[in-house]
Amino acid sequence: MAAKEVTRGRATAGTIAGFVLRVARESTSIRTQVGMAEAIGVDLATWQGWETGRRPLANVKAGALLNIRRRLLALGADPHVLHLLDPAMDADRVITSTIHPEINDLHPLASWVHTRDTAHMIAWALNGTAPRALVRSATTGRRGPVAKAPLLPTSDRDVFFAHLRETAESALRAGDGGLLLHRQTLYLCSYDRGSEATSWMVHALHGRRDLISARGWTPHWATARSTAAALVRLGDRQPLLDFIERGLADDDSAEIANLNYWAYWLGSIREPQPDDGFMRRGPTNWEPVRLLRGLAAGLQQAPAYMDLYVHSLWALLTTNRWLPLADPVLADKLAAHTARLLDHDGISPRARRELSSVHYVLRENRT
């Protein structure tokens, strides 16, 4: 049994990154593994091992991996796909470390703040939903019974979620020292939609509702935000409305934290962060235009989180009124979308007020 577990661990250690590598290969003019192995200068077994995950890309020396990326780029690989190799390797590490925990090893979710790209890669392996950057690339040009996603086997998926819930509970018992690990594991637990898991998740999240009702910034602010967002995924929108009203609106430190959170999550802050402390810092070197684009896209793609996207857009545009001039095409599209939203019922009073302000700023700075 032990030997079987070790073998399975090795098989899952590089699956997601291997799948992204396969998509990158298929985005070039060299579609076959044989041709790509020759172009890169490795034997066929090595390339096949990378794509299947049997030989995890994370184990390749940094210089060699850099050369592989650059060679793929020169061969015409989609740069958006190549960009996802790092979050894919991160996702492989999170999943493997959760399924096969090592005694005394720090869980990867306790040592750095993961990004949206990493979360989407993990979700891809858990439920088969391809990240938007890969939706077209991951499904074109294939023949025969080829896997369309790096899905975990059901047994591994069950073990992953069981261990993840155990990790979330142990992190909670660790107090402030386990804040980051608890927040991130709890968020990922919400991807499990089984009835038993949902009951556990609802109980765990509602046990943290007191954080949502706290006024403004607290050391648990990021946990409150993630808790409210996870409850939306489970169909309960009210905690997010409560969080915006009490834990975010009209508090300068919380507003700064929210924009910093979004900037990191959406890739506007490019430097990796070891903990949530970066959220409290004042204006940093994140890119406002990139953040505007990410929030505008999210407003259309994730309607369940509309209130948070609207409030964040309002905060960004009221403090950076010049932004519509930086991307006039985006500003026009966003103005049209906000106008459509304002025509619909069911919008909370705060969201309606803030949408009106967003719409005004977009129009005012385009004339």
Side-chain angles (χ1 to χ4, degrees):
M1 177 63 72
K4 182 178 179 180
E5 290 294 327
V6 169
T7 300
R8 189 173 63 177
R10 289 174 179 168
T12 61
T15 304
I16 304 172
F19 204 99
V20 173
L21 184 68
R22 186 174 97 184
V23 176
R25 167 177 60 81
E26 292 172 345
S27 70
T28 72
S29 59
I30 303 175
R31 295 299 185 92
T32 67
Q33 292 179 329
V34 172
M36 187 56 71
E38 292 177 353
I40 296 295
V42 298
D43 61 80
L44 178 59
T46 296
W47 184 270
Q48 289 175 332
W50 289 339
E51 285 198 8
T52 60
R54 291 193 304 271
R55 296 184 176 185
L57 275 178
N59 293 347
V60 176
K61 291 182 179 180
L65 184 56
L66 182 61
N67 287 336
I68 293 169
R69 292 173 189 261
R70 290 178 174 172
R71 184 61 182 147
L72 282 167
L73 188 63
L75 292 169
D78 186 335
H80 297 291
V81 176
L82 291 177
H83 166 75
L84 293 174
L85 279 173
D86 281 339
M89 286 188 283
D90 280 335
D92 277 325
R93 182 171 172 237
V94 169
I95 289 175
T96 303
S97 296
T98 303
I99 294 177
H100 306 281
E102 297 290 337
I103 298 176
N104 297 325
D105 271 9
L106 186 67
H107 195 284
L109 291 176
S111 58
W112 107 104
V113 184
H114 75 260
T115 65
R116 179 181 65 168
D117 286 339
T118 301
H120 286 182
M121 287 290 161
I122 293 171
W124 195 23
L126 296 174
N127 57 34
T129 302
R132 296 188 69 85
L134 294 181
V135 168
R136 184 176 301 175
S137 300
T139 57
T140 57
R142 293 186 187 153
R143 298 178 181 177
V146 180
K148 296 182 179 180
L151 275 172
L152 287 179
T154 300
S155 57
D156 279 352
R157 185 181 180 277
D158 291 343
V159 171
F160 172 78
F161 280 122
H163 287 182
L164 199 66
R165 289 190 287 269
E166 292 172 3
T167 302
E169 291 172 346
S170 63
L172 181 60
R173 292 191 295 270
D176 288 353
L179 280 177
L180 180 63
L181 180 58
H182 176 68
R183 175 175 75 78
Q184 298 197 129
T185 51
L186 195 61
Y187 181 83
L188 292 177
C189 281
S190 67
Y191 285 128
D192 190 352
R193 301 311 300 271
S195 57
E196 183 177 343
T198 299
S199 297
W200 179 92
M201 191 70 192
V202 169
H203 176 76
L205 290 171
H206 280 280
R208 312 297 287 164
R209 285 183 73 115
D210 59 314
L211 302 179
I212 296 171
S213 62
R215 173 65 65 184
W217 173 267
T218 76
H220 298 269
W221 182 89
T223 299
R225 188 185 188 280
S226 289
T227 298
L231 282 167
V232 170
R233 184 176 291 124
L234 297 180
D236 188 356
R237 178 181 167 220
Q238 188 59 46
L240 183 60
L241 299 179
D242 294 340
F243 172 75
I244 294 170
E245 194 68 36
R246 297 187 58 82
L248 187 52
D250 304 319
D251 184 282
D252 289 345
S253 60
E255 296 286 13
I256 290 171
N258 183 54
L259 291 180
N260 284 341
Y261 190 117
W262 274 125
Y264 185 75
W265 183 251
L266 297 173
S268 187
I269 294 177
R270 298 175 184 272
E271 300 80 15
Q273 301 296 328
D275 54 49
D276 290 337
F278 77 97
M279 298 179 197
R280 290 203 65 187
R281 293 196 288 269
T284 58
N285 61 345
W286 50 261
E287 308 158 32
V289 177
R290 186 181 180 92
L291 179 55
L292 176 63
R293 290 169 181 160
L295 291 174
L299 183 61
Q300 297 192 57
Q301 297 164 6
Y305 298 93
M306 182 190 70
D307 296 272
L308 184 57
Y309 278 111
V310 167
H311 182 81
S312 303
L313 279 166
W314 170 83
L316 179 64
L317 287 170
T318 53
T319 54
N320 298 272
R321 301 180 77 90
W322 56 270
L323 271 176
L325 296 173
D327 193 333
V329 174
L330 173 66
D332 287 342
K333 290 180 179 178
L334 183 56
H337 186 58
T338 57
R340 288 192 295 271
L341 290 175
L342 287 167
D343 285 339
H344 288 282
D345 296 328
I347 300 175
S348 69
R350 172 176 287 278
R352 184 171 293 278
R353 291 195 304 272
E354 292 173 346
L355 265 176
S356 297
S357 295
V358 166
H359 188 74
Y360 176 78
V361 172
L362 291 167
R363 288 304 186 194
E364 177 191 43
N365 291 283
R366 287 287 294 115
T367 58

